[in-house]
Amino acid sequence: MSTTHDKACSGNCTHDRLLQPASTPPLPNLEQLADFERGTLSRRVYWDDLVYQQELEKIFGRCWLFLGHESQLPKPGDFLTTYMAEDHVILVRQRDGSLKAFLNTCPHRGNRISFSDFGNARSFVCNYHGWSFGIDGALKGMAGQELFDASGMKSAEHGLHPVAQVASYKGLVFGNMDPNAPPLSEYLGDFRYYLDVMLDMDGQGTEFVGGPVKSVIHCNWKVPTENFIGDIYHALWTHDSAARAVLGGAVAEVYKDEHSFHVNHNGHGWEFNLDTVGNCATLGDKELRKYLYGIQPTVASRLGELRSKMIGAISSCSVFPNMSFLPGQNTFRVWQPRGPGRIELHTWTLVNKSAPQDIKERWRKGAMLTFSPSGIFEMDDGENFEFSTRTNAGFLTRQQNLYMGLGLGSRLQDTELPCNVYRNQVNEANQRAFYRRWLDLMQAQSWADVPVRDPNRLDESAFHHDAPQEAA
């Protein structure tokens, strides 16, 4: 697993992308890439540049993508730079307190405007020709402006290109390039019921501590996303030795737990049990477990008893298409695509804003111990992610489909939990739901053509927790 860029690389390089076969066949009928009744998947989804280029348009060009956390931008003029797939963007707090995002490129010759990861600015100035832009993206002036004025240029038409939609959900800020995309509240929909386990434990909000830690992994962006969306199965084997070192014993045989689940909604997915602190225990810090048990009654009074048992449990989550986190370990990450065979991973530690400073620092160190480029679990995962990508490009290998049928027929029909719920967290229901959403978007010409498979059913009041909330 790579952890640093080539020093000559600008952060968006393509020289080390997965090599394509000498003769790449044309993009097939997309229906041929996945069989959801049999639970099979074409290996082509991991290595084919034709598939990847369509993903940039159909997935990343129209879905809500994570940009940052509101805690990173407390004051007007505060900004950060990040990516929406391969598009570099600036997210900036406006003077009226709102947030706007713009492509981080000058409309004159395309140079990058800001080279800083974050800061506070009254304006942004391009290094190339001195074009200056306000924090609202408007073009304010340039060197030799009278020459442009004489040429008839209309400055109002040449500001920074805005991200079409920017919206927040309980501290998390998302952007969408498609002005016709559904609002963020509809996009996340009923899945917010589960997101509140991490984002709304005590009503005081969350914040990032540390980071972002940036690393490079030579894998397809979907491999780690589908791992975090529901692959606890691998932990029983891949992470056995590291878990024994921390826990003093093997990972619990979670597949025997009758009170564990896969839940998914429009491509978002969460696998979990109800042991309260199972993930947190892998950090090896008793004070963190004590903190979670201490806050559990508050969570139960706001979110209900069931969700109070999820706050640090053995679990993992991905929000479609490329944002993931682990409750308890509190690692929060975005898998930024850099070609079919390469990602840039951005990682933070997410904590309750109200937590004592000592607890926040313990979580930051725990996340570094487990899920960072030198972390005991991330080193295990990185190698698997890389070889699960590059091995699939072989000519004979890519003729063979992959199996993702674990848990077929395990959907629960008699549960009050929202979203699609499946018994046993050792399952591949969330992976199948992820690729169903992926295929729907890849085939659709616009959002109007995307099938409504998982309609939202919860009332908006379900996401305001002035009183105890249970499943609808």
Side-chain angles (χ1 to χ4, degrees):
M1 180 176 66
S2 303
T3 58
T4 59
H5 283 300
D6 185 322
K7 291 184 178 179
C9 175
S10 66
N12 195 21
C13 53
T14 58
H15 56 72
D16 58 353
R17 287 183 175 173
L18 188 68
L19 294 177
Q20 296 296 298
S23 178
T24 301
L27 188 64
N29 184 335
L30 288 167
E31 289 285 356
Q32 299 175 8
L33 298 180
D35 185 330
F36 299 105
E37 292 185 2
R38 296 176 57 230
T40 61
L41 182 72
S42 170
R43 299 172 189 250
R44 190 166 188 169
V45 303
Y46 296 130
W47 60 262
D48 194 330
D49 192 60
L50 295 175
V51 171
Y52 175 73
Q53 293 301 325
Q54 190 155 333
E55 288 174 339
L56 291 181
E57 175 188 355
K58 299 294 186 66
I59 305 293
F60 294 98
R62 59 166 62 140
C63 287
W64 285 92
L65 307 178
F66 176 76
L67 299 181
H69 195 287
E70 289 188 358
S71 64
Q72 298 172 285
L73 305 161
K75 303 187 302 295
D78 285 348
F79 72 92
L80 60 83
T81 58
T82 185
Y83 287 90
M84 299 179 71
E86 297 204 31
D87 290 300
H88 202 246
V89 299
I90 304 172
L91 176 66
V92 58
R93 178 77 70 179
Q94 301 298 299
R95 292 182 177 87
D96 64 0
S98 65
L99 289 165
K100 291 185 178 181
F102 309 93
L103 293 184
N104 189 12
T105 176
C106 182
H108 180 223
R109 287 294 181 270
N111 190 31
R112 181 176 292 189
I113 295 292
S114 176
F115 289 84
S116 300
D117 285 346
F118 60 89
N120 184 277
R122 290 180 292 181
S123 63
F124 299 101
V125 181
C126 177
N127 290 339
Y128 201 172
H129 297 97
W131 283 37
S132 175
F133 305 88
I135 62 172
D136 61 352
L139 177 60
K140 299 299 185 183
M142 72 282 283
Q145 181 166 348
E146 64 278 6
L147 299 177
F148 288 91
D149 292 341
S151 300
M153 189 188 88
K154 298 179 181 179
S155 295
E157 298 176 358
H158 299 283
L160 299 180
H161 185 81
V163 172
Q165 300 189 64
V166 176
S168 300
Y169 183 69
K170 295 188 178 177
L172 305 186
V173 184
F174 296 82
N176 197 311
M177 293 290 190
D178 186 348
N180 298 314
L184 179 64
S185 58
E186 180 181 334
Y187 181 84
L188 297 175
D190 291 355
F191 198 67
R192 291 173 291 172
Y193 176 88
Y194 299 99
L195 291 178
D196 286 356
V197 170
M198 279 290 285
L199 301 178
D200 200 2
M201 288 188 197
D202 62 2
Q204 303 303 309
T206 59
E207 64 184 5
F208 281 165
V209 293
V213 176
K214 298 181 181 181
S215 56
V216 171
I217 306 176
H218 292 267
C219 70
N220 186 274
W221 66 273
K222 297 184 292 298
V223 174
T225 304
E226 69 180 49
N227 177 279
F228 274 64
I229 207 171
D231 190 352
I232 189 60
Y233 179 47
H234 82 287
L236 309 178
W237 183 264
T238 294
H239 297 314
D240 180 65
S241 60
R244 287 177 184 272
V246 176
L247 299 174
V251 176
E253 294 180 314
V254 292
Y255 58 86
K256 296 180 179 179
D257 191 341
E258 295 180 357
H259 301 289
S260 67
F261 309 92
H262 262 218
V263 297
N264 57 67
H265 180 74
N266 289 328
H268 318 308
W270 194 316
E271 58 82 15
F272 64 94
N273 67 12
L274 301 173
D275 70 3
T276 308
V277 297
N279 266 3
C280 184
T282 65
L283 304 182
D285 191 320
K286 294 181 180 179
E287 293 302 315
L288 294 179
R289 298 200 296 275
K290 183 190 298 185
Y291 170 80
L292 286 177
Y293 279 127
I295 200 174
Q296 186 176 7
T298 299
V299 181
S301 70
R302 292 178 60 75
L303 306 181
E305 189 67 25
L306 183 141
R307 283 186 287 179
S308 78
K309 296 178 180 179
M310 294 173 59
I311 54 178
I314 294 176
S315 53
S316 60
C317 173
S318 288
V319 172
F320 193 90
N322 66 327
M323 184 194 94
S324 304
F325 59 80
L326 296 177
Q329 285 137 344
N330 287 33
T331 182
F332 187 100
R333 50 207 27 227
V334 178
W335 320 96
Q336 302 283 11
R338 295 292 178 269
R342 187 171 179 268
I343 64 168
E344 185 176 305
L345 168 58
H346 294 187
T347 303
W348 303 263
T349 304
L350 182 72
V351 298
N352 287 334
K353 190 180 296 185
S354 62
Q357 190 60 41
D358 174 62
I359 292 297
K360 295 176 182 180
E361 182 62 14
R362 286 173 180 270
W363 245 307
R364 186 188 68 81
K365 290 181 178 178
M368 292 294 290
L369 170 69
T370 53
F371 286 96
S372 70
S374 59
I376 57 175
F377 296 139
E378 188 134 313
M379 285 190 288
D380 291 338
D381 285 334
E383 185 175 58
N384 289 336
F385 295 166
E386 290 192 347
F387 284 97
S388 291
T389 298
R390 66 180 63 175
T391 305
N392 290 307
F395 176 76
L396 292 178
T397 301
R398 68 178 184 257
Q399 312 304 317
Q400 315 305 313
N401 286 338
L402 299 166
Y403 183 73
M404 60 171 186
L406 179 64
L408 282 169
S410 63
R411 184 172 179 180
L412 298 176
Q413 303 295 337
D414 57 351
T415 177
E416 293 184 348
L417 290 172
C419 304
N420 304 308
V421 184
Y422 297 77
R423 66 175 178 270
N424 203 320
Q425 68 188 120
V426 181
N427 206 315
E428 290 172 338
N430 288 355
Q431 285 88 343
R432 292 189 294 275
F434 173 88
Y435 281 105
R436 170 62 76 184
R437 184 65 160 180
W438 176 88
L439 186 61
D440 284 346
L441 284 161
M442 290 282 279
Q443 292 180 305
Q445 294 303 308
S446 70
W447 270 105
D449 302 318
V450 179
V452 181
R453 300 186 186 276
D454 299 334
N456 293 314
R457 294 184 172 89
L458 293 181
D459 187 86
E460 282 299 307
S461 63
F463 310 112
H464 305 283
H465 307 301
D466 297 327
Q469 299 289 322
E470 290 291 358

